[in-house]
Amino acid sequence: MTDRAAPASNAPASRPEAAGASLQHLDALIIGAGFSGMYQLLRLRDHLRLKALVVEAGDGVGGTWYWNRYPGARCDSESHSYSYYFDDDLVREWEWSERYPAQPEILRYLNHVADRYRLRPDIRLNTRVTAARYDASSNRWLVDTDAGERFSVQFLITAVGCLSAANIPDIPGLADFAGRWYHTGEWPHEGVDFTGRRVGLIGTGSTGIQAAPVIAESAAHLTVFQRTANYSMPAHNAPLSEEFKQYVREHVDEIRKVMHATTNGHPFTIAERSALDTPAEQRDALYEAAWQKGGLQFRGTFKDLLTDQAANDTAAEFIKAKIRQIVKDPVKAAVLSDIDHPFAAKRPPIDTDYFETFNRDNVALVDLRASPIVAITPQGIRTKDALHRLDIIVFATGFDALTGALLKIEIEGRDGITLRQAWRAGPRNYLGLQVPGFPNLFTITGPGSPSVLCNLPPQIEQHVDWITACIRHLREHGIARIEPVDEAADTWQREVDAAAKATLLADVKHSWYLGANVPGKPRVFMPYAGGFGRYRDKCEEVARTGYAGFRLER
Ligand code: NA7
């Protein structure tokens, strides 16, 4: 299938002058031009022939990959799976160069998609949606932008990403810091020159673990500030061989099927064997083989790693022993391997020489559990025990995940209730797709969907296809609005909760899956942990049964 035959642009012809702009009528407005927004535009415009527009804050397409330009930024999903699969021709014609794609290559890919499907005329860049209000009398969403434009649309679709609202900790004194500071998710396009500088890196999640080795190579000195020690497996990134590229071209359908059926949407399956039923020697040999292979497949070595603490302990001990083996300084090794949560119960990073970096003379490690940050001073970071003099501070402190980007927009639904009010106790919705009280609003990879627990492109495609089919159904049946009923949302919330509790993920109290990284955020396990395959089946069944759990009104 190909979508090359795109119609001419259907966007409003020109951008009206800011204040007092007239209302522009569209069928659908999509917020964000990353993987989700671009594919949603393609589906609505070219398949349903709707008048649709993407509004994007950045001055280019790419979403996450437009903003996250920090040193070492790379995807943890393998490149051949971190791609759209809606068009076999697209999969076959795009050639990834490495096993894990680096940020510039992903951005090139997304720009290629924008051009190939002629999406650009219907993407409004440099424009941020600030507010959206549902008007019941007209059954339209009234959407405001920071450019002073106002749109009236029947369908509002958020494609804002799960990890896009930067979490910058409120540390006293930051404003007085005499050097420069950056958050990895809002990295300057011109880059940052670390040459000869003393750099402090706060955060040891996937981002900090990717950035540290690269920063250490050019900085005069790097201090890594670690609050929670983390597991990481070697990525063993490498150029892709011609054989592998050929294999992908010849197995598009097969790869797609595996991704759709597995728990995490990756192109590999989880072994059927149990860690506890496997003799210790054999188990370690399997872990060693997985370690040598590298990447997230390590998680798939045994079926019970995320459901059984004793099984998980075997993987955790294996990785901790590896850390102690790699890191030569026993004090650093002890701090890095003092991990207090089960393996992969927080987002598991993969790395290129992260632990090896601590063997460099110019790299120090600060254990924030032992000596927390007290303040930032003009000279650097003051912990309980010392002042660390710095020229640059890098915050690799993650995101207000899943809800942050949505709640930044003033979204007001039926009866004047805002999304912030509706979600005061945590995100509540049906299937992660729609919120009671917010008719015709769809949230791509919203909380309550597999989202961050899944390789995102297949999850995004599934959401977009579902939303597109739903809108087609509404149009074909003369239905004006769709909204989940409260009972369906409550039942789904219980399912999301139960799915998390069936794993070890829900037990980690400092996890951003629970909102614990943002002070004051409700502690609710947000992504659906029941597996991508099961989730797809559930969504399909709901659509097949005439959208059970949703209220459809003419
Ligand atoms: P993460 O996974 O949220 O990691 C953030 C790191 O920053 C983590 O080590 C946090 O420690 C640490 N952090 C956060 N706030 C603070 C403060 N106030 N003081 C010290 N340390 C802090 O974000 P990433 O960007 O690494 O990764 C997010 C995902 O985005 C990732 O999975 C990729 O797919 C892309 P904590 O563990 O909370 O104690």
Side-chain angles (χ1 to χ4, degrees):
M1 174 187 63
T2 176
D3 290 280
R4 262 184 195 284
S9 162
N10 57 28
S14 63
R15 174 192 288 246
E17 290 312 312
S22 61
L23 199 57
Q24 302 171 67
H25 290 264
L26 299 167
D27 296 314
L29 189 131
I30 300 156
I31 309 173
F35 262 100
S36 329
M38 291 210 293
Y39 181 46
Q40 186 67 77
L41 171 64
L42 176 74
R43 280 287 181 237
L44 295 185
R45 186 192 70 179
D46 298 1
H47 292 239
L48 299 194
R49 306 280 155 181
L50 297 195
K51 215 170 161 188
L53 178 73
V54 174
V55 174
E56 161 61 51
D59 77 351
V61 301
T64 290
W65 300 104
Y66 172 88
W67 299 104
N68 280 264
R69 297 168 187 242
Y70 60 87
R74 193 179 284 285
C75 185
D76 291 344
S77 295
E78 301 206 17
S79 54
H80 69 291
S81 68
Y82 202 72
S83 307
Y84 292 112
Y85 266 71
F86 63 83
D87 184 345
D88 289 12
D89 291 344
L90 174 64
V91 183
R92 291 199 183 98
E93 76 192 23
W94 180 263
E95 213 172 77
W96 293 105
S97 65
E98 294 177 277
R99 180 174 175 189
Y100 298 96
Q103 176 270 336
E105 192 169 20
I106 306 174
L107 197 56
R108 276 201 299 282
Y109 170 72
L110 290 169
N111 275 282
H112 166 71
V113 170
D115 292 330
R116 191 190 191 286
Y117 299 97
R118 297 176 204 148
L119 300 176
R120 293 190 197 277
D122 299 300
I123 299 175
R124 173 101 14 112
L125 300 174
N126 295 307
T127 309
R128 184 178 289 281
V129 169
T130 51
R133 183 171 68 78
Y134 177 70
D135 175 45
S137 62
S138 61
N139 187 37
R140 309 280 293 179
W141 281 92
L142 300 173
V143 183
D144 291 310
T145 74
D146 63 354
E149 292 167 286
R150 174 165 268 208
F151 298 93
S152 163
V153 300
Q154 185 181 5
F155 300 106
L156 178 62
I157 302 168
T158 62
V160 293
C162 305
L163 297 158
S164 47
N167 173 38
I168 300 166
D170 188 14
I171 302 174
L174 178 58
D176 304 325
F177 180 53
R180 307 196 70 117
W181 64 267
Y182 308 91
H183 186 278
T184 51
E186 295 172 349
W187 203 255
H189 287 202
E190 63 279 12
V192 176
D193 185 4
F194 294 107
T195 317
R197 306 288 174 168
R198 295 183 64 81
V199 182
L201 173 70
I202 305 180
T204 53
S206 303
T207 301
I209 281 177
Q210 285 183 342
V214 185
I215 297 175
E217 271 174 23
S218 59
H221 190 270
L222 171 68
T223 305
V224 175
F225 293 85
Q226 172 190 286
R227 185 164 72 179
T228 305
N230 214 345
Y231 301 94
S232 182
M233 278 91 45
H236 293 315
N237 185 42
L240 287 177
S241 66
E242 286 312 313
E243 290 80 353
F244 187 79
K245 291 178 192 172
Q246 185 63 22
Y247 162 81
V248 172
R249 284 193 288 270
E250 288 171 2
H251 294 83
V252 177
D253 205 36
E254 201 177 309
I255 296 167
R256 185 195 290 115
K257 276 190 189 133
V258 175
M259 292 194 298
H260 285 183
T262 54
T263 308
N264 302 104
H266 285 290
F268 50 82
T269 48
I270 304 214
E272 272 308 310
R273 57 185 172 240
S274 147
L276 296 179
D277 295 345
T278 305
E281 205 173 310
Q282 195 186 338
R283 193 169 57 213
D284 279 352
L286 289 165
Y287 283 141
E288 184 61 33
W291 184 269
Q292 293 309 331
K293 192 163 187 205
L296 293 171
Q297 285 104 311
F298 191 95
R299 252 185 331 190
T301 313
F302 296 105
K303 67 175 181 186
D304 45 0
L305 291 185
L306 286 179
T307 50
D308 186 306
Q309 182 64 59
N312 192 288
D313 287 345
T314 65
E317 282 313 317
F318 179 89
I319 300 171
K320 289 176 186 177
K322 283 284 186 193
I323 299 171
R324 287 190 287 266
Q325 205 180 314
I326 296 167
V327 180
K328 306 258 182 301
D329 175 344
V331 177
K332 283 181 183 169
V335 171
L336 289 163
S337 62
D338 184 17
I339 309 174
D340 66 355
H341 53 279
F343 162 66
K346 284 181 100 171
R347 178 91 161 197
I350 62 174
D351 70 273
T352 299
D353 295 338
Y354 175 64
F355 294 115
E356 288 81 352
T357 295
F358 292 94
N359 293 333
R360 296 176 65 110
D361 293 338
N362 68 335
V363 176
L365 175 66
V366 173
D367 177 3
L368 295 180
R369 290 271 170 97
S371 181
I373 295 176
V374 176
I376 293 178
T377 73
Q379 294 79 31
I381 294 179
R382 182 182 293 288
T383 60
K384 189 164 108 347
D385 298 323
L387 171 66
H388 301 270
R389 291 182 183 277
L390 302 167
D391 304 310
I392 296 174
I393 299 174
V394 175
F395 289 96
T397 43
F399 301 91
D400 183 352
L402 286 147
T403 55
L406 288 169
L407 294 176
K408 266 188 182 175
I409 306 165
E410 282 299 316
I411 299 179
E412 186 183 306
R414 257 193 307 109
D415 310 322
I417 305 288
T418 65
L419 191 60
R420 192 169 282 284
Q421 289 166 333
W423 284 4
R424 197 180 294 121
R428 175 172 173 268
N429 61 22
Y430 188 34
L431 298 171
L433 278 160
Q434 270 221 308
V435 187
F438 296 78
N440 293 348
L441 169 72
F442 295 94
T443 52
I444 303 176
T445 62
S449 70
S451 56
V452 291
L453 299 180
C454 191
N455 178 30
L456 274 159
Q459 150 82 117
I460 285 166
E461 286 189 333
Q462 183 255 337
H463 260 195
V464 168
D465 290 343
W466 192 95
I467 292 166
T468 306
C470 175
I471 293 177
R472 186 200 302 269
H473 176 88
L474 304 184
R475 294 247 150 164
E476 285 175 357
H477 293 83
I479 294 160
R481 61 182 153 202
I482 181 167
E483 174 189 339
V485 299
D486 285 320
E487 301 76 58
D490 292 340
T491 306
W492 183 245
Q493 242 40 67
R494 283 195 291 276
E495 275 190 53
V496 171
D497 197 46
K501 287 191 174 130
T503 71
L504 301 173
L505 277 63
D507 296 338
V508 188
K509 298 303 171 217
H510 49 62
S511 164
W512 56 257
Y513 295 152
L514 273 164
N517 63 331
V518 177
K521 190 165 173 169
R523 299 290 188 267
V524 174
F525 196 91
M526 294 178 286
Y528 174 68
F532 183 44
R534 197 189 303 173
Y535 176 79
R536 289 182 71 87
D537 292 347
K538 169 80 184 170
C539 290
E540 278 167 25
E541 182 200 316
V542 166
R544 222 180 16 253
T545 51
Y547 297 93
F550 290 91
R551 188 182 310 117
L552 281 63
E553 291 171 332
R554 286 180 195 281

